[in-house]
């Protein structure tokens, strides 16, 4: 399913093509087969993602700057990154071993692989939390909530897990 941005980009591509009096088959003919009508059409419908490289090549073919192909209000990439997942290893030592055993072993393995033995905190990835969720046999969000309740993850970690769900 095409996103709003993909459709807007496709609309700009179609507008440039039609301003130049070209049909989809005309693009294929003029480019001597470099640009297939079916591919350009799928870009224009937003059904197919266009890479930055291909977009630059298409702009060059049409003789326009890349910015002319981008829709108005293009995303600026100012979204705040999700919070980091940081385990509090000191608090982890206070959690009963029957509960925290798998997490403690996993953390020790990561520390060993990284050569990181500061002993106080350990950054993990959202993928690590998903792996731990399989080990604990619970959904990642539920495991995150449990780790927060134990005090080994800060409450912001929930946002990081939800953004990767």
């Amino acid at each position: 399913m095409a996103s709003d941005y993909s459709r807007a980009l496709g609309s700009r591509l179609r507008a440039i093509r039609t301003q130049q009096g070209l049909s989809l088959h005309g693009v294929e003919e003029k480019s001597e087969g470099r640009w297939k009508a079916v591919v350009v059409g799928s870009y224009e419908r937003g059904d197919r993602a266009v890479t930055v490289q291909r977009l630059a090549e298409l702009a060059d073919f049409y003789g326009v700057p890349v910015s002319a192909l981008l829709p108005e209000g293009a995303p600026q990439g100012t979204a705040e990154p999700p919070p980091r997942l940081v385990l509090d290893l000191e608090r982890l030592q206070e959690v009963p071993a029957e509960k925290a055993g798998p997490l403690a072993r996993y953390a020790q393995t990561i520390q060993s692989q990284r050569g990181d033995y500061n002993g106080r905190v350990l950054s993990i990835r959202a993928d690590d939390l998903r792996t731990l969720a399989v080990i604990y046999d619970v959904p990642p969000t539920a495991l995150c909530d449990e780790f927060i309740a134990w005090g080994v993850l800060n409450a912001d970690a929930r946002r990081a897990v939800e953004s990767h769900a």
Side-chain angles (χ1 to χ4, degrees), residues 84-93 103 107-108 110-112 114-124 151-154:
R84 293 176 48 205
L85 296 169
V86 180
L87 293 175
D88 182 332
L89 299 176
E90 292 175 337
R91 291 291 300 266
L92 180 59
Q93 292 175 353
L103 176 57
Q108 288 170 347
I110 292 173
Q111 284 179 297
S112 175
R114 294 180 187 169
D116 177 7
Y117 299 102
N118 80 15
R120 294 197 316 253
V121 296
L122 179 70
S123 295
I124 62 171
V152 299
L153 273 180
N154 64 337

Side-chain angles (χ1 to χ4, degrees), residues 1-146:
M1 184 169 164
S3 71
D4 290 341
Y5 187 81
S6 295
R7 283 191 293 273
L9 177 63
S11 179
R12 289 295 306 142
L13 292 171
R14 184 178 300 109
I16 296 293
R17 176 180 56 77
T18 58
Q19 285 172 8
Q20 296 189 4
L22 293 169
S23 66
L24 288 172
H25 290 289
V27 168
E28 188 168 342
E29 289 173 11
K30 184 178 175 184
S31 70
E32 298 177 340
R34 166 89 171 91
W35 294 101
K36 303 291 183 199
V38 68
V39 172
V40 174
S42 65
Y43 290 156
E44 290 181 1
R45 288 187 304 279
D47 293 339
R48 183 176 186 159
V50 59
T51 65
V52 172
Q53 178 66 37
R54 295 289 281 168
L55 191 64
E57 292 169 4
L58 199 51
D60 187 53
F61 171 75
Y62 287 138
V64 300
V66 174
S67 61
L69 300 179
L70 299 177
E72 296 295 318
Q76 300 301 312
T78 58
E80 183 179 323
R84 293 176 48 205
L85 296 169
V86 180
L87 293 175
D88 182 332
L89 299 176
E90 292 175 337
R91 291 291 300 266
L92 180 59
Q93 292 175 353
E94 299 169 13
V95 178
E98 62 272 7
K99 288 182 175 181
L103 176 57
R105 287 189 300 277
Y106 196 86
Q108 288 170 347
T109 301
I110 292 173
Q111 284 179 297
S112 175
Q113 289 172 343
R114 294 180 187 169
D116 177 7
Y117 299 102
N118 80 15
R120 294 197 316 253
V121 296
L122 179 70
S123 295
I124 62 171
R125 303 178 321 247
D127 285 342
D128 292 322
L129 194 66
R130 281 195 288 280
T131 300
L132 285 161
V134 170
I135 293 168
Y136 277 91
D137 196 25
V138 296
T141 52
L143 186 62
C144 181
D145 290 342
E146 189 161 355

